[in-house]
Amino acid sequence: MTSTTGTPAASAAVSARGLVKRYKDVTALDGVDLTVPTGSVLGLLGPNGAGKTTIVRILTTLLRPDEGSAEVAGVDVLKRPRDVRRRIGLSGQYAAVDEYLTGFENLDMIGRLYHLGAKRSRERARELLASFRLEDAADRPSKTYSGGMRRRLDLAGALVADPPVIFLDEPTTGLDPRGRADMWEVIQNLVAGGTTLLLTTQYLEEADLLADEIVVIDHGRIIAQGTSDQLKSQVGGERLELTVQDADRLDEAARLLEPLGVSPAVLDASRRGLLMPVTGGAQVLTEALRRLDEVELRLDDVGLRRPTLDDVFLSLTGRLAEDEAQAETTKAGA
Ligand SMILES: Nc1ncnc2c1ncn2[C@@H]1O[C@H](COP(=O)(O)OP(=O)(O)OP(=O)(O)O)[C@@H](O)[C@H]1O
Ligand SMILES: [Mg+2]
């Protein structure tokens, strides 16, 4: 099998072919091929249960696939797991820090485990605490840290030995906007230094900001792949979203606006809502309002927003990511 990008294995920091993983009646991975060129950032984007953690666990030697093969930093994951472990850093979906140790002690301990020596371990811990904005909290037990601080400390721990390839599994899930923004800054500084990074996320915005290339995964299969611009143009620019005052006029609104969309509008009659992919930004919004105003079609709400992961899913699979049991054109709950 050839790699998806045709990049020779030698210049790829991570390459995987035909990964399959089954749990009884669940197929967690159903033939995944991946390539991460050295020095680049791959964003693995997918909803709950898509198979993201399973991929990360296989590539970091924590789990054996039923089929397929992979190399990380040029080393075969299945044949030489110990050598792979020496070349990678992993920050898992849930921060794995020792709560009773301080931030400094956590990092210092990892340095010693990696045989950096006492002096170098202390230096490295201080360096990382500074670059992860944990200096002020360095000497208190990490159980007093916020969720965002714990995630940053966990990531710092993955970097102690300066590995060439880093894996981050959902680094910002569960963080508040401030914690998320701090984490993004830290990751951007990290990749500016040329580290190869594979990161998983449920947020298109996050993949957009951090990744050179995005792979969208669903039910253990890759359903789309490309740069963020390529994916966005595939799902069609922004979303025009509106709520009509009078539910009886929703179809009429759709007819009037459909010529402005890049694909058909999705209607939600129970919520008097219309959602339609558009390109052209504010001008499209102005034109839409003009058309509705002409026939005195009143709105309760209207707005333009950037595509979300739900939109990518809706566009790629015809269903919403959050709940596939839902009818295709109806949003869950009110
Ligand atoms: N140990 C296990 N036993 C049984 N099923 C499992 C096991 N681990 C994962 N699965 C199943 O495999 C599928 C993929 O899970 P995985 O954890 O890789 O998804 P994910 O994309 O990381 O999701 P999340 O965003 O919720 O972390 C899911 O259907 C999950 O329920
Ligand atoms: Mg996961």
Side-chain angles (χ1 to χ4, degrees):
M1 238 186 256
T2 54
S3 74
T4 42
T5 59
T7 315
S11 69
V14 178
S15 76
R17 289 159 307 280
L19 295 181
V20 173
K21 182 70 196 178
R22 296 182 201 91
Y23 294 103
K24 289 184 189 147
D25 46 355
V26 177
T27 303
L29 296 182
D30 195 10
V32 168
D33 298 332
L34 279 182
T35 305
V36 190
T38 301
S40 76
V41 180
L42 181 83
L44 200 55
L45 178 69
N48 286 130
K52 303 180 297 296
T53 298
T54 306
I55 292 174
V56 169
R57 286 172 57 83
I58 291 171
L59 295 175
T60 56
T61 79
L62 300 174
L63 184 72
R64 285 185 75 89
D66 297 315
E67 290 170 37
S69 59
E71 291 94 46
V72 172
V75 182
D76 190 301
V77 169
L78 297 173
K79 294 187 185 131
R80 293 165 58 202
R82 271 155 39 104
D83 293 334
V84 169
R85 267 173 245 151
R86 258 183 236 128
R87 292 168 167 80
I88 59 171
L90 166 65
S91 177
Q93 192 165 355
Y94 305 98
V97 300
D98 186 322
E99 301 214 311
Y100 294 94
L101 297 182
T102 66
F104 173 82
E105 287 164 348
N106 264 285
L107 298 181
D108 182 49
M109 179 186 74
I110 296 172
R112 286 161 197 255
L113 289 174
Y114 276 101
H115 306 295
L116 294 189
K119 182 160 173 287
R120 182 68 195 125
S121 293
R122 283 197 299 270
E123 277 169 12
R124 185 73 180 133
R126 292 289 173 203
E127 253 169 57
L128 286 165
L129 289 162
S131 59
F132 285 73
R133 303 226 229 113
L134 292 168
E135 255 170 332
D136 295 344
D139 298 315
R140 15 187 259 248
S142 59
K143 68 176 173 200
T144 66
Y145 287 14
S146 70
M149 292 163 79
R150 270 179 220 216
R151 295 291 327 228
R152 298 209 298 282
L153 180 61
D154 191 53
L155 173 54
L159 302 181
V160 166
D162 222 350
V165 186
I166 309 284
F167 295 86
L168 294 181
D169 196 7
E170 296 195 31
T172 67
T173 297
L175 300 187
D176 62 18
R178 177 64 208 274
R180 181 164 297 168
D182 285 346
M183 191 58 144
W184 285 346
E185 198 182 316
V186 158
I187 295 171
Q188 281 175 312
N189 289 337
L190 175 66
V191 298
T195 302
T196 304
L197 174 64
L198 187 154
L199 120 142
T200 78
T201 182
Q202 304 192 27
Y203 311 112
L204 182 61
E205 185 193 6
E206 181 163 298
D208 190 2
L209 182 73
L210 300 174
D212 299 307
E213 170 120 346
I214 299 172
V215 165
V216 185
I217 173 168
D218 183 32
H219 289 306
R221 285 176 202 253
I222 291 172
I223 58 170
Q225 163 160 24
T227 63
S228 126
D229 284 345
Q230 287 165 345
L231 279 179
K232 274 192 216 146
S233 62
Q234 202 176 331
V235 304
E238 303 95 4
R239 263 54 195 158
L240 175 68
E241 235 176 351
L242 58 81
T243 309
V244 297
Q245 267 182 11
D246 178 0
D248 292 340
R249 300 193 73 184
L250 187 59
D251 289 335
E252 183 188 351
R255 270 197 310 282
L256 286 169
L257 299 181
E258 224 131 58
L260 303 175
V262 293
S263 55
V266 176
L267 305 183
D268 181 350
S270 67
R271 291 202 288 171
R272 296 173 283 125
L274 176 152
L275 170 68
M276 189 174 69
V278 296
T279 52
Q283 277 170 336
V284 173
L285 181 58
T286 312
E287 176 60 17
L289 292 175
R290 198 190 60 75
R291 288 183 184 210
L292 298 175
D293 198 48
E294 231 169 46
V295 298
E296 295 186 356
L297 206 156
R298 301 280 171 246
L299 301 178
D300 272 347
D301 196 19
V302 63
L304 203 58
R305 61 170 174 77
R306 285 157 53 76
T308 63
L309 178 56
D310 278 343
D311 299 318
V312 176
F313 265 77
L314 194 55
S315 155
L316 292 171
T317 68
R319 62 179 170 75
L320 291 165
E322 62 207 21
D323 189 352
E324 47 179 313
Q326 290 292 323
E328 282 181 9
T329 55
T330 315
K331 276 230 175 195

